[in-house]
């Protein structure tokens, strides 16, 4: 199939491309950027009308269904939410039900997501069996089944010797390990340690829970040479340690969630469970450090941290409520919002959700270049919209960015999404 998207503002953050022109697609791949190749005869034409055409968003952390959630039919609805938000590739952690610790389970998940024929789903396999932190999972078999890395999801490996062996094995066979840095003995709280948590009587998670985990992790990386992706960094101390590790030359990358990038502990308000998140919202100096690190590239990617929680999971006292919120459809808008507040160009603001995120995966994605997969997002940069339950396609409706909660209008409206040149969102019936 030959497709021509005409008159778009073409932005490719990876190359610095920012110009008005056409983009040609044939057989699922980009064959012309700026102008169509000679003799190209499109079967479909899309008039962009000056809207912005970028690579489809790459989200490095999104769940299709929260562990223990009562939400059913989650995969299809969450993938519909993904493409409605311009996300064409998402990475799913292994704490599904059952845990992704066997190749057959990975293949089953991939079959279901491929059958939905919406966004691409790249699973992470379990680093240890059942995520129990004791026996190593079959890393090689999980990788062969399609996993892009090995992870413990929200369950730290308590036994440092086990983590050391895991990184040794991963380094020997070239597997990348994805870990959220949190000391298991200090990470049992529900809010960031500080005056607000004390005043509300909430159990706190100290910043050193992240720092100690990073110190341990970086020391093990020095010993093993393993490549590690640090997930959802949340503290200014963590940013400093990450910056030093990169300067040292350790093979480490990192991401931050849209929640930690925009919100602080004060946004909990009076026990508002939509702000019950993992990692917990921290103080303003943490948010400022995360924003600066994302802007200068110390933090590689911005992730939605999408966790579809059902109504029952949030209708509980704050400390008992399920952590998480819907965010797949907000990722583009919150990247644009951060960019505008930080005085960044459109291309700079979109890098952490396109080309820079794809580099973490080591895959050919997140680019507008000839030969690349035609995974595309077309959006109206001047549009504004509100986060309301009626607007969201995700089966989960809880977000700390809900309009009725904060009155915030989101910048940027997705009008079309393509995966491998096939339109999966927008147009008639969208």
């Amino acid at each position: 199939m030959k497709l021509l998207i005409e008159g778009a503002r073409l932005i490719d953050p990876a190359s610095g491309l920012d110009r008005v022109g056409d983009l040609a697609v044939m057989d699922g791949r980009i064959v012309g950027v700026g102008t169509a190749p000679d003799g190209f005869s499109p079967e479909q034409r899309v008039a962009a009308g000056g809207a912005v055409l970028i690579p489809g968003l790459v989200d490095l952390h999104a769940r299709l269904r929260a562990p223990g959630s009562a939400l059913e039919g989650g995969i299809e609805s969450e993938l519909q939410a993904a493409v409605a938000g311009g996300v064409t590739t998402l990475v799913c952690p292994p704490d599904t039900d059952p845990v992704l610790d066997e190749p057959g389970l990975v293949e089953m998940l991939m079959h279901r997501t491929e059958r939905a024929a919406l966004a691409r789903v790249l699973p992470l396999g379990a680093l240890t069996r059942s995520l129990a932190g004791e026996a190593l999972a079959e890393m090689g078999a999980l990788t062969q089944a399609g996993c892009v890395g090995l992870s413990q999801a929200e369950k730290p490996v308590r036994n440092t010797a086990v983590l050391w062996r895991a990184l040794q094995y991963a380094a020997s066979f070239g597997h990348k390990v994805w870990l959220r840095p949190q000391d298991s003995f200090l990470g049992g709280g529900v809010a960031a340690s500080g005056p607000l948590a004390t005043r509300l009587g909430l159990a706190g998670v100290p910043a050193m829970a992240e720092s100690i985990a990073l110190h341990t992790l970086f020391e093990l990386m020095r010993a093993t040479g393993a490549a590690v992706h640090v997930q959802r960094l949340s503290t200014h101390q963590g940013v400093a340690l990450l910056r030093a590790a990169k300067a040292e030359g350790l093979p480490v990358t990192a991401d931050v969630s849209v929640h930690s990038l925009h919100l602080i502990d004060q946004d909990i308000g009076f026990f508002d469970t939509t702000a019950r998140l993992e990692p917990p919202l921290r103080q303003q100096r943490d948010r400022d450090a995360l924003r600066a690190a994302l802007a200068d590239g110390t933090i590689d990617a911005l992730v939605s941290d999408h966790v579809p929680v059902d109504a029952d999971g949030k209708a509980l006292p704050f400390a008992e409520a399920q952590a998480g919120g819907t965010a797949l459809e907000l990722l583009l808008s919150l990247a644009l919002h951060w960019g505008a507040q930080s005085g960044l160009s459109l291309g700079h603001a979109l890098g952490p959700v396109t080309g820079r995120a794809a580099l973490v995966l080591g895959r050919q994605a997140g680019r507008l270049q000839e030969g690349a997969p035609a995974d595309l997002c077309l959006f109206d940069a001047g549009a504004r919209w509100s986060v309301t339950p009626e607007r969201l396609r995700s089966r989960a409706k809880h977000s700390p960015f809900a309009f009725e909660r904060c009155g915030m209008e989101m910048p940027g409206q997705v009008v079309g999404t393509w995966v491998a040149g096939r339109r999966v969102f927008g147009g008639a019936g969208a």
Side-chain angles (χ1 to χ4, degrees), residues 42-410:
E43 300 163 71
Q44 291 185 11
R45 294 177 180 269
V46 174
V52 179
L53 185 64
I54 61 173
L57 272 58
V58 179
D59 186 355
L60 298 182
H61 194 273
R63 286 183 170 84
L64 302 178
R65 180 183 173 190
S69 170
L71 288 174
E72 294 294 343
I75 288 180
E76 290 75 13
S77 66
E78 302 321 293
L79 291 182
Q80 288 172 358
V83 296
V87 175
T88 56
T89 298
L90 63 88
V91 175
C92 171
D95 53 347
T96 51
D97 184 12
V99 170
L100 294 179
D101 60 358
E102 295 181 8
L105 298 172
V106 175
E107 291 165 358
M108 185 185 305
L109 173 66
M110 295 186 71
H111 174 71
R112 286 192 64 185
T113 58
E114 289 169 1
R115 189 174 58 185
L118 293 165
R120 304 177 194 269
V121 175
L122 305 177
L124 296 173
L127 185 66
T128 61
R129 292 179 192 168
S130 303
L131 299 175
E134 297 174 357
L136 302 188
E138 299 178 22
M139 298 185 198
L142 291 170
T143 302
Q144 286 183 342
C147 292
V148 295
L150 292 311
S151 171
Q152 276 294 110
E154 302 303 303
K155 298 184 178 180
V157 178
R158 293 190 176 197
N159 188 326
T160 307
V162 173
L163 183 58
W164 184 17
R165 287 201 302 274
L167 293 182
Q168 283 177 314
Y169 187 90
S172 298
F173 294 93
H175 305 315
K176 195 166 192 174
V177 178
W178 298 45
L179 295 171
R180 183 163 87 85
Q182 180 156 288
D183 181 89
S184 59
F185 298 102
L186 296 173
V190 297
S193 293
L196 181 78
T198 300
R199 178 161 55 84
L200 296 181
L202 297 173
V205 180
M208 64 181 173
E210 185 170 280
S211 304
I212 290 171
L214 285 172
H215 276 295
T216 300
L217 181 58
F218 293 152
E219 192 61 35
L220 293 176
M221 288 176 68
R222 293 184 188 100
T224 63
V228 174
H229 179 67
V230 174
Q231 297 180 281
R232 292 174 293 148
L233 207 64
S234 70
T235 67
H236 73 276
Q237 296 96 327
V239 168
L241 290 170
L242 173 67
R243 186 171 282 120
K246 284 195 165 187
E248 181 185 336
L250 293 182
V252 60
T253 53
D255 64 51
V256 60
S257 80
V258 291
H259 304 110
S260 294
L261 192 69
H262 286 286
L263 304 174
I264 60 174
D265 58 352
Q266 298 291 331
D267 290 300
I268 291 174
F270 292 98
F271 305 101
D272 186 343
T273 57
T274 63
R276 171 80 172 89
L277 301 162
E278 288 287 349
L281 299 173
R282 295 198 174 274
Q283 284 78 37
Q284 183 168 339
R285 62 176 176 174
D286 298 299
R287 183 183 65 180
D288 292 347
L290 293 166
R291 286 181 165 218
L294 188 64
D296 69 22
T298 300
I299 295 178
D300 302 84
L302 177 64
V303 302
S304 72
D305 190 19
H306 177 80
V307 183
V309 179
D310 56 58
D312 289 344
K314 289 295 186 183
L316 293 167
F318 187 88
E320 301 170 26
Q322 196 167 353
T326 188
L328 266 170
E329 293 159 87
L330 283 60
L331 180 58
L332 172 65
S333 293
L334 291 172
L336 296 173
H337 190 53
W338 160 71
Q341 289 183 324
S342 303
L344 304 176
S345 69
L346 209 51
H348 196 157
L350 294 168
V353 291
T354 55
R356 281 165 52 181
L359 283 176
V360 172
L361 293 170
R363 293 197 166 210
Q364 188 186 28
R367 296 292 307 272
L368 288 187
Q369 64 178 11
E370 294 182 12
D375 295 351
L376 309 167
C377 170
L378 184 69
F379 71 94
D380 180 352
R384 295 290 185 273
W385 63 283
S386 300
V387 179
T388 62
E390 298 76 20
R391 168 65 178 75
L392 297 173
R393 284 167 173 76
S394 170
R395 292 170 69 88
K397 308 298 183 184
H398 303 284
S399 167
F401 299 102
F403 183 78
E404 64 269 21
R405 181 182 186 275
C406 65
M408 177 180 172
E409 286 195 323
M410 294 284 165

